[in-house]
Amino acid sequence: MEQEVLIPLLLKKDEKAYTMLYDMYAKNLYGVIYNLMRDKEEAEDVLQEVFVKIWKNIDSYNTSKGRFFTWIVNIARNASIDRLRSKGFNNAQKNLSADNFVHLLDDSNKANFKIDSIGIQEFIKKLKPKCIKIIDLLFFKGYTQQEASEELEIPLGTVKTQNRNCIADLRNLLQV
């Protein structure tokens, strides 16, 4: 089913369209969420919340403001960041044993924790090094622009400008 058919059906709250939406995008959204959460059960929980948010907020999607996939990826990314910042999640992480983190040592040698969750790794590699750093922090690691500014030790305004320019460069590479 194409987006041009799917979106009007979702607006009509068609349950078959919801099933199609899930079938079309669940794997991609799970990849984005898991890349931020690094916890299978939490990622599955957030994925479920994301599809509920999409269902409830489909009326707010505006085709003139961007692609549908970008809109739902932003919902997934924001929901993941919200969960990571939540007090309950942070408290639960404090109580985990060290055994839960052994895999991080093994994975740390793999290139950027396999950030290719939505298939754009090759395009990102073609960007300038400063763009790679900014996109990695903002989109793959879930930093706010303020946090990225502090991490990179550059002014907030510079982060915002470079982020806009880097996204424009990425769009040019993707030809969208």
Side-chain angles (χ1 to χ4, degrees):
M1 182 179 294
E2 297 294 321
Q3 287 183 16
E4 295 78 28
V5 176
L6 179 66
I7 294 169
L9 291 174
L10 289 171
L11 289 166
K12 293 177 186 174
K13 302 296 183 190
D14 184 300
E15 291 181 17
K16 289 180 184 175
Y18 184 75
T19 302
M20 291 300 300
L21 172 76
Y22 186 86
D23 292 343
M24 289 171 66
Y25 297 110
K27 287 181 182 177
N28 290 334
L29 295 179
Y30 179 80
V32 170
I33 295 165
Y34 182 80
N35 193 39
L36 291 167
M37 302 295 300
R38 295 279 174 219
D39 181 297
K40 183 181 178 200
E41 291 175 11
E42 287 289 332
E44 288 170 355
D45 265 359
V46 172
L47 180 65
Q48 185 175 10
E49 290 174 19
V50 166
F51 277 98
V52 170
K53 286 180 182 182
I54 293 169
W55 180 255
K56 288 182 177 179
N57 298 312
I58 189 66
D59 295 338
S60 67
Y61 171 64
N62 184 341
T63 55
S64 67
K65 290 186 178 181
R67 295 178 39 216
F68 182 70
F69 183 73
T70 305
W71 184 72
I72 63 175
V73 166
N74 281 331
I75 291 173
R77 186 177 154 284
N78 292 339
S80 300
I81 292 168
D82 289 348
R83 177 68 64 93
L84 287 169
R85 290 182 180 158
S86 73
K87 195 173 199 174
F89 181 79
N90 288 327
N91 287 340
Q93 294 302 321
K94 288 178 187 174
N95 296 328
L96 294 176
S97 73
D99 296 338
N100 292 323
F101 299 100
V102 172
H103 71 282
L104 291 177
L105 298 173
D106 296 333
D107 289 348
S108 65
N109 295 327
K110 296 177 184 167
N112 293 324
F113 296 101
K114 295 186 179 181
I115 62 170
D116 193 23
S117 60
I118 58 175
I120 62 170
Q121 184 178 23
E122 292 304 314
F123 291 103
I124 291 175
K125 286 180 182 177
K126 295 177 183 177
L127 294 173
K128 299 172 193 165
K130 68 179 179 182
C131 287
I132 294 171
K133 287 179 186 175
I134 288 176
I135 288 174
D136 182 53
L137 291 176
L138 296 176
F139 294 96
F140 292 109
K141 293 185 178 165
Y143 281 46
T144 64
Q145 290 180 337
Q146 180 64 45
E147 291 167 339
S149 166
E150 293 166 5
E151 177 74 20
L152 298 171
E153 297 178 350
I154 57 177
L156 177 60
T158 304
V159 169
K160 291 179 179 185
T161 301
Q162 287 181 356
N163 181 37
R164 261 192 319 274
N165 294 339
C166 294
I167 295 301
D169 291 347
L170 186 58
R171 280 189 180 128
N172 287 334
L173 286 173
L174 295 170
Q175 298 176 348
V176 284

